[in-house]
Amino acid sequence: KQAAVSIHADDLSLYDESYGSLAKFAVMCPHTALWQQTIAKVVGELTNAYGTDGVYIDQIAAAGPRPCWDKTHDHTLGGGDHWVTGYAEMLRQARVAAGGKKILLTESNSEPFMAGINLFLTLVGFATGDLPGGTGATVMVPAFQAVYGGYVLPVGAEFFRNDFLPDPNVFAAKIAAQYVFGAQLGWFSLGGRDNQHPAMGIHDLLMDG
């Protein structure tokens, strides 16, 4: 345990992620004061200078906590509650910068961040499973919405071109599931990447009579 306290900055590793676009992202420790202030400043500029109704901040409710050994971040080294408390402070500052009537939205859904978030992008919650009464082994139920309805609003699911072709009723069923489960409808990818499987990019299908 003592050895971890003596780690120097040169010995710290980078927490990075990469997805379908193949771009590499460095994930910041949310307890870092500089990062909290940076996100709050960006949120304030987008909502006030550019007049947006809100801001989407990626990953907060989707990516699990990671241990951090940087002594300059003012939290317990290694484990602890730095991930939750750090994001709570970041969201508090972002709310102050944006104003109380603006929307803050993040990816996925997670109860610890609910106080600072208005909308959860519930992609994982709608990703797999049949509706009740279906024949599949996995069934979706609106448990999160039933428990936390009124505190936060779930929004969105993933839609693909194969939801329309060959049977557009698949798309209709996905929309119906969102409606019945108390989620804001939508989150459509109008364009798409060549390496996205299954393919998204449903603009032409939505516009097709």
Side-chain angles (χ1 to χ4, degrees):
K1 292 181 180 178
Q2 186 61 36
V5 179
S6 65
I7 288 178
H8 300 289
D10 291 342
D11 300 318
L12 298 175
S13 60
L14 181 66
Y15 175 16
D16 58 25
E17 295 181 346
S18 181
Y19 299 99
S21 67
L22 303 183
K24 184 173 286 189
F25 302 93
V27 181
M28 300 293 108
C29 170
H31 209 280
T32 312
L34 175 62
W35 190 241
Q36 294 170 353
Q37 294 161 10
T38 298
I39 294 298
K41 181 179 178 181
V42 170
V43 168
E45 184 174 357
L46 289 171
T47 53
N48 295 307
Y50 293 94
T52 66
D53 292 325
V55 176
Y56 173 79
I57 308 174
D58 205 17
Q59 274 205 323
I60 292 178
R66 294 292 182 94
C68 178
W69 301 96
D70 193 323
K71 293 183 288 187
T72 68
H73 291 182
D74 194 30
H75 60 66
T76 303
L77 295 183
D81 63 357
H82 66 287
W83 209 259
V84 172
T85 57
Y87 272 132
E89 176 59 22
M90 177 189 292
L91 292 170
R92 186 196 67 78
Q93 293 183 32
R95 177 66 62 197
V96 170
K101 294 185 178 180
K102 300 294 185 173
I103 294 169
L104 293 180
L105 164 67
T106 193
E107 179 187 7
S108 204
N109 48 303
S110 183
E111 189 265 355
F113 307 114
M114 195 174 299
I117 293 292
N118 303 110
L119 299 172
F120 280 139
L121 181 58
T122 48
L123 303 183
V124 175
F126 285 106
T128 58
D130 285 349
L131 292 175
T135 59
T138 304
V139 177
M140 290 190 298
V141 295
F144 196 89
Q145 295 91 315
V147 174
Y148 297 115
Y151 294 98
V152 69
L153 182 64
V155 54
E158 288 185 304
F159 292 86
F160 305 98
R161 294 186 65 83
N162 61 12
D163 294 334
F164 293 82
L165 303 170
D167 183 3
N169 284 329
V170 174
F171 173 78
K174 281 190 170 184
I175 289 289
Q178 285 188 291
Y179 179 76
V180 171
F181 284 9
Q184 186 73 23
L185 308 182
W187 201 77
F188 306 127
S189 177
L190 300 182
R193 301 189 309 267
D194 292 338
N195 64 343
Q196 177 75 48
H197 301 289
M200 301 179 90
I202 63 174
H203 176 268
D204 59 320
L205 297 170
L206 285 173
M207 297 296 104
D208 190 319

